[in-house]
Amino acid sequence: EYFIYIVAVMGIIGFASFYFTRKLTTERVVSSSQPKQKFNYFATLGSFFKNTHMLGVTISSVAYIALIMTVNTSMPYVFMCYFNNTALISVAGILTAVPVILGIVIVKPALKKFTKKQLCTYPFIISVIASGIATFVRFSNPFVWLVLITLTMFGTSFYMVLMWALVADCIDYQEHKSGRREEGSIYATYSLFRKIAQGIGAAAVSFVIGLTGYNENLPALEQASGVPEKLYFVTGLL
């Protein structure tokens, strides 16, 4: 009932924050005047799709967002229908956020021993193993399952922290290849794909939940036989 009012208030706060951030910021570094280059977004878009590094970061980012949407959307159904323990939903939300905080803390010292590429790829092996076990092994203890999901999120934490550094590297690479500095347009295109991924991710997860036979009109304990097990399976699989 009050959701639209809350959204409106938060929107006003967000707009005011951006506005005053711009107005109250003083630029003390005077940039050297350079001749303005002609802007053609279609040329920028063409360069974007020819930049294999940027495409790699974009595709992986879309997949990562789909993962996060899965955790946020389908995990509560597992606790409601499979474990019959709704009290753990909030605990699960906190535990899945802890690995991200840990990644933020240790990413800097880790970069002294490993490259960004290594930290953004090899830890995903941990995620694959942990989520694979959580998918194909049926646990009756929700805490064991939570540990596996937490390990899954830990394997993605370095990528979550470093993805923005990868985007900056790809923007520099595109300037190197094209001779044009187009960070605003490139970043906007990348952000567009991320927004599309959020919508597609939410829709895909909802669609898969529907395929399990889950009936939103029935209480969690009255779902059809086999539905809790299917919810358990697809959450880990996604």
Side-chain angles (χ1 to χ4, degrees):
E1 180 181 357
Y2 297 105
F3 181 75
I4 187 65
Y5 301 108
I6 295 173
V7 171
V9 171
M10 298 304 292
I12 293 171
I13 293 173
F15 177 80
S17 299
F18 279 115
Y19 178 80
F20 286 112
T21 297
R22 179 178 177 274
K23 284 295 183 181
L24 299 177
T25 299
T26 302
E27 294 190 24
R28 295 180 176 85
V29 178
V30 180
S31 60
S32 57
S33 58
Q34 297 179 350
K36 292 184 178 180
Q37 61 183 20
K38 292 183 178 180
F39 175 72
N40 185 333
Y41 179 69
F42 292 104
T44 301
L45 195 61
S47 299
F48 181 93
F49 284 107
K50 291 178 181 177
N51 186 340
T52 55
H53 306 293
M54 191 74 242
L55 288 177
V57 173
T58 302
I59 293 170
S60 61
S61 182
V62 167
Y64 177 77
I65 291 173
L67 165 70
I68 297 301
M69 297 302 294
T70 303
V71 172
N72 294 337
T73 306
S74 64
M75 192 165 63
Y77 290 93
V78 177
F79 288 103
M80 288 189 298
C81 300
Y82 185 83
F83 292 116
N84 298 323
N85 192 336
T86 56
L88 287 178
I89 294 177
S90 57
V91 176
I94 295 172
L95 285 178
T96 53
V98 169
V100 177
I101 298 173
L102 183 61
I104 293 172
V105 173
I106 66 177
V107 68
K108 187 173 182 179
L111 282 171
K112 295 179 180 178
K113 294 185 177 181
F114 305 99
T115 65
K116 282 180 285 187
K117 184 177 180 179
Q118 290 171 332
L119 288 176
C120 287
T121 52
Y122 292 121
F124 273 101
I125 297 174
I126 299 173
S127 299
V128 171
I129 294 173
S131 60
I133 295 172
T135 302
F136 296 103
V137 181
R138 295 286 171 81
F139 295 99
S140 58
N141 188 329
F143 293 101
V144 176
W145 191 77
L146 263 178
V147 168
L148 291 169
I149 298 302
T150 301
L151 285 173
T152 300
M153 297 307 297
F154 174 75
T156 71
S157 61
F158 293 107
Y159 177 80
M160 192 283 295
V161 176
L162 291 171
M163 72 168 70
W164 306 107
L166 299 180
V167 171
D169 290 344
C170 292
I171 290 174
D172 290 340
Y173 176 78
Q174 183 148 330
E175 180 184 13
H176 170 70
K177 297 295 288 185
S178 67
R180 300 189 303 272
R181 186 67 180 177
E182 303 166 315
E183 67 266 45
S185 300
I186 297 170
Y187 181 79
T189 304
Y190 170 74
S191 296
L192 173 64
F193 282 110
R194 284 178 60 89
K195 295 299 181 184
I196 294 173
Q198 289 176 353
I200 294 176
V205 172
S206 299
F207 175 73
V208 172
I209 290 175
L211 291 178
T212 64
Y214 179 82
N215 188 341
E216 68 275 11
N217 297 318
L218 295 176
L221 297 177
E222 297 179 12
Q223 295 295 320
S225 176
V227 169
E229 290 75 15
K230 291 177 182 178
L231 287 169
Y232 179 100
F233 176 79
V234 298
T235 298
L237 187 66
L238 287 172

